[in-house]
Amino acid sequence: MGLIPHNAAREVPRYPVSGDGFHTWTEKEIETFYSVHPLGTMAHTAMTLMLYTGASLGDTAAMGRSNIKDGRVKYSRYNTKDRVGVSVDMLVHPFLAECLDTVPAECA
């Protein structure tokens, strides 16, 4: 925006990072999650949306019925490197369709 002549964030020390990044859930961990959060719960719906669309938490939270049309999921990914929206358009997986069928109309 040009409000200051330099980038003040460059002077902020970085947090040390250790480890190899985030742990990817195993099939067993996903199965355990689903056993605690059965079909029809908000947690189950959120997990299924993320698993079957690849959407980030923020993109998933912004989704609604308007993102599902003609058997397809359509949304814009905003959690990208350059912060520019990337259009996503994919078929709805049968497991995702089953999950979305449990969401009451007034909730989406």
Side-chain angles (χ1 to χ4, degrees):
M1 294 174 59
L3 298 176
I4 60 173
H6 68 284
N7 183 351
R10 288 187 183 160
E11 300 167 16
V12 177
R14 293 180 180 256
Y15 284 107
V17 177
S18 62
D20 295 328
F22 293 102
H23 165 72
T24 302
W25 284 26
T26 64
E27 294 291 326
K28 180 66 176 161
E29 289 169 323
I30 293 169
E31 183 181 308
T32 300
F33 179 90
Y34 280 141
S35 71
V36 174
H37 304 283
L39 185 64
T41 63
M42 188 181 307
H44 186 286
T45 302
M47 171 70 109
T48 305
L49 275 166
M50 287 185 275
L51 278 175
Y52 290 97
T53 65
S56 68
L57 178 61
D59 291 336
T60 301
M63 286 185 191
R65 290 200 187 277
S66 64
N67 295 97
I68 312 293
K69 293 180 184 173
D70 301 322
R72 301 188 72 80
V73 178
K74 299 178 182 185
Y75 69 99
S76 291
R77 288 190 63 190
Y78 287 102
N79 195 6
T80 60
K81 262 187 181 179
D82 56 7
R83 301 287 185 230
V84 176
V86 175
S87 293
V88 177
D89 182 344
M90 66 178 69
L91 287 172
V92 174
H93 188 280
F95 292 146
L96 178 56
E98 177 187 14
C99 177
L100 295 175
D101 286 343
T102 68
V103 177
E106 66 272 8
C107 291

